[in-house]
Amino acid sequence: MLNRVRSAVAHLVSSGGAPPPRPKSPDLPNAPSPQTAAPPEAPRSPPATAGSGSAAPAKTVEARASFSRPTFLQLSPGGLRRADDHAGRAVQSPPDTGRRLPWSTGYAEVINAGKSRHNEDQACCEVVYVEGRRSVSGAPREPSQGQSCWSSQKEVTHESLVVGAIENAFQFMDEQMARERRGHQVEGGCCALVVVYLLGKVYVANAGDSRAIIVRNGEIIPMSREFTPETERQRLQLLGFLKPELLGGEFTHLEFPRRIQPKELGQRMLYRDQNMTGWAYKKIELEDLRFPLVCGEGKKARVMATIGVTRGLGDHNLKVCSSTLPIKPFLSCFPEVRVYDLTQYEHCPDDVLVLGTDGLWDVTSDCEVAATVDRVLSAYEPNDPSRYTALAQALVLGARGTPRDRGWRLPNNKLGSGDDISVFVIPLGGPGSYS
C-alpha cells in the first residue's frame, strides 16, 4: 500500500494533479532508495496491503497481504522473531552497516504489549524523482485589454500544486482501497503521516492521530495535529446536520454535556451544534434522546460510538456496532498539509523533524520530546551520523517504559505505551542535509 502512495504522490506532483494510471500488475516496486518520504503509518484495523483492483489469483493476494517489516530494517528471520516478541518488546533500528537512510535520518520501532498479533505500524523511506515541466496550467497571465477581471486566471504557486498533489494522492489511495475491498474482499483502514521534501520545502501531510513536530534551537514547531472526534466535532456535526439520513434516526448531531434521560423531556439543557464553540440552553425534545454523534472525551471520544479518529484511509466496510449505518461518510481521507521552508533559516545539527505514531504521543508531550532531543544529541559529536538513530531509540524507549509487575511502566510509575511505537528523526542541518 505504501508503494502506491509513493507512486501516486510522485505522479501527481509531476503531472500537476492528474491521477496516475492504474498499474498493469498488482505489484509495484518495493526496493528502498535514498531520499524524500518518511511516513510512519498506523493501521486501525487489519491492514489492507493487497494489490490493485485488477483480477488476481487468491494465492497471490494472500501473499501480498502477509505481514512484513520495513525493508530498510534489514531484519533476518531471527531479528523478525525478536521484533514480533510482545514480552521482550525489543527496539528495532536500521543496522549501522550498509547504506543509511537519507540525511542520516534515525528510525526506531517497537511492537505493542499484546494489543494485536503483529506490529501494525508501517514505515518507508524512498527517493522519488520528479521531472520538471516547461509550463503549468493555471499559471498567472496578464489579462488582455477589454477583458473582464472575472475571466483572468488565479495565480497558482508551486507550493499549492504540491499540496494539491499530495491531497489528491491520499484520495486516490482511498479509492484504491475501496476497489481492493470490492475486488479482493480486503478490509481495514489506517492513518497516514507523510513527509515530502521538494525544492527546499518540507511538506507534512497528516490524516489520523500520528503527529510531527520540528525542534529548532529548543523551540517546538507543530507540523501536524491529531484528527479526533473532539478536534473535528464541528465538521462532523455539520455533515450530520446537512445529511440527517447518515444518522439513521439513531443519532443526533447535537452535543450535550451528558446523555439525556427521557424524564428530562421539556427541561432546559446545555447544548452546542455545528456553529458553536461555546454552550447555550435549549428545551429538550424527543429527537434529543438519540445517541450523540460525538461522545466521550480525550482518547475515549468516538464517532457514533465506534471510531476514535476522523481522518484516514480505507475503512469502507466499517459499520456502527449492531447496525447497518456506515462510518465512512464521517471519516475523511484528505490530509492537512503543513509546509516548512528550509531555506528561510540557518539550521544546526541539533534541529530535527520528529515523526511519531500515536504510540509515542499517547504518553509523551511535545516538551518531553524536545527535552530528549537536547539530552541525547548533546551527548554526541555534531558530525556523528548515528546520533539521530540514538535519539529515535531513546524516544521509543521513553514511551515504551520498562517491564514491571503491573505492566510496562514509565519512570514516574505511570503506564507506558502499550501500542506499537514508530519514530523517525530527520535532521534539518548537519551531515548530508537536504543535498
Side-chain angles (χ1 to χ4, degrees), residues 322-340:
S322 302
S323 171
T324 59
L325 283 177
I327 295 292
K328 184 61 178 179
F330 296 96
L331 182 64
S332 173
C333 66
F334 285 96
E336 179 182 69
V337 184
R338 298 190 181 184
V339 185
Y340 182 82

Side-chain angles (χ1 to χ4, degrees), residues 188-211:
C190 64
C191 302
L193 178 63
V194 175
V195 173
V196 176
Y197 168 72
L198 183 67
L199 299 176
K201 294 181 179 180
V202 169
Y203 298 81
V204 179
N206 183 42
D209 53 5
S210 297
R211 285 203 299 114

Side-chain angles (χ1 to χ4, degrees), residues 2-3 5-7 9-10 31-39 72 99-106 123-130 194-203 342 353 355 424 426-435:
L2 286 168
N3 286 324
V5 173
R6 293 196 298 269
S7 176
V9 171
S33 44
Q35 203 160 340
T36 316
F72 59 74
R99 183 174 59 195
R100 292 186 180 276
L101 294 174
W103 299 7
S104 298
T105 290
C124 72
C125 186
E126 186 166 324
V127 165
V128 176
Y129 294 98
V130 179
V194 175
V195 173
V196 176
Y197 168 72
L198 183 67
L199 299 176
K201 294 181 179 180
V202 169
Y203 298 81
L342 285 167
L353 171 62
L355 288 74
F424 273 106
I426 304 174
L428 304 180
S433 61
Y434 45 94
S435 58

Side-chain angles (χ1 to χ4, degrees), residues 277-334:
T277 55
W279 296 83
Y281 281 96
K282 78 177 295 288
K283 184 179 178 180
I284 298 301
E285 302 173 9
L286 188 61
E287 291 79 6
D288 300 329
L289 299 181
R290 297 170 181 168
F291 202 85
L293 171 62
V294 175
C295 63
E297 290 183 294
K299 295 297 290 185
K300 295 182 179 180
R302 292 292 183 269
V303 178
M304 301 173 107
T306 303
I307 193 168
V309 293
T310 54
R311 299 202 192 190
L313 304 173
D315 278 333
H316 297 276
N317 61 306
L318 190 60
K319 301 284 195 300
V320 175
C321 184
S322 302
S323 171
T324 59
L325 283 177
I327 295 292
K328 184 61 178 179
F330 296 96
L331 182 64
S332 173
C333 66
F334 285 96

Side-chain angles (χ1 to χ4, degrees), residues 219-427:
E219 177 189 5
I220 297 169
I221 304 170
M223 291 302 296
S224 68
R225 61 189 175 103
E226 294 180 356
F227 291 104
T228 68
E230 285 188 312
T231 63
E232 292 213 285
R233 170 186 62 84
Q234 289 176 283
R235 178 182 72 81
L236 301 172
Q237 288 181 318
L238 178 61
L239 182 56
F241 170 74
L242 295 175
K243 295 188 174 183
E245 65 273 14
L246 297 177
L247 304 178
E250 300 179 32
F251 294 85
T252 172
H253 75 281
L254 300 180
E255 181 184 15
F256 299 92
R258 58 175 173 79
R259 185 74 188 275
I260 306 299
Q261 302 299 316
K263 64 182 180 181
E264 294 175 304
L265 278 170
Q267 297 182 18
R268 282 162 52 83
M269 178 70 71
L270 286 170
Y271 86 105
R272 58 182 178 179
D273 64 15
Q274 68 280 358
N275 301 310
M276 302 168 64
T277 55
W279 296 83
Y281 281 96
K282 78 177 295 288
K283 184 179 178 180
I284 298 301
E285 302 173 9
L286 188 61
E287 291 79 6
D288 300 329
L289 299 181
R290 297 170 181 168
F291 202 85
L293 171 62
V294 175
C295 63
E297 290 183 294
K299 295 297 290 185
K300 295 182 179 180
R302 292 292 183 269
V303 178
M304 301 173 107
T306 303
I307 193 168
V309 293
T310 54
R311 299 202 192 190
L313 304 173
D315 278 333
H316 297 276
N317 61 306
L318 190 60
K319 301 284 195 300
V320 175
C321 184
S322 302
S323 171
T324 59
L325 283 177
I327 295 292
K328 184 61 178 179
F330 296 96
L331 182 64
S332 173
C333 66
F334 285 96
E336 179 182 69
V337 184
R338 298 190 181 184
V339 185
Y340 182 82
D341 192 343
L342 285 167
T343 65
Q344 296 299 307
Y345 305 94
E346 289 291 335
H347 294 92
C348 73
D350 290 357
D351 296 337
V352 293
L353 171 62
V354 178
L355 288 74
T357 53
D358 58 332
L360 172 70
W361 304 111
D362 284 348
V363 298
T364 311
S365 68
D366 292 357
C367 291
E368 289 170 330
V369 168
T372 303
V373 169
D374 178 65
R375 173 177 59 83
V376 173
L377 294 186
S378 63
Y380 287 80
E381 292 295 325
N383 61 351
D384 185 344
S386 68
R387 65 204 306 258
Y388 305 108
T389 297
L391 174 54
Q393 292 171 342
L395 290 170
V396 169
L397 285 168
R400 183 201 68 177
T402 55
R404 297 183 186 174
D405 294 338
R406 293 177 295 126
W408 294 83
R409 296 279 169 172
L410 305 178
N412 59 9
N413 205 37
K414 290 185 178 180
L415 278 174
S417 175
D419 202 353
D420 304 309
I421 311 170
S422 299
V423 174
F424 273 106
V425 176
I426 304 174

Side-chain angles (χ1 to χ4, degrees), residues 47 53 98 107 117 211-212 217 249 399:
Y107 176 81
R117 181 183 175 189
R211 285 203 299 114
N217 194 28

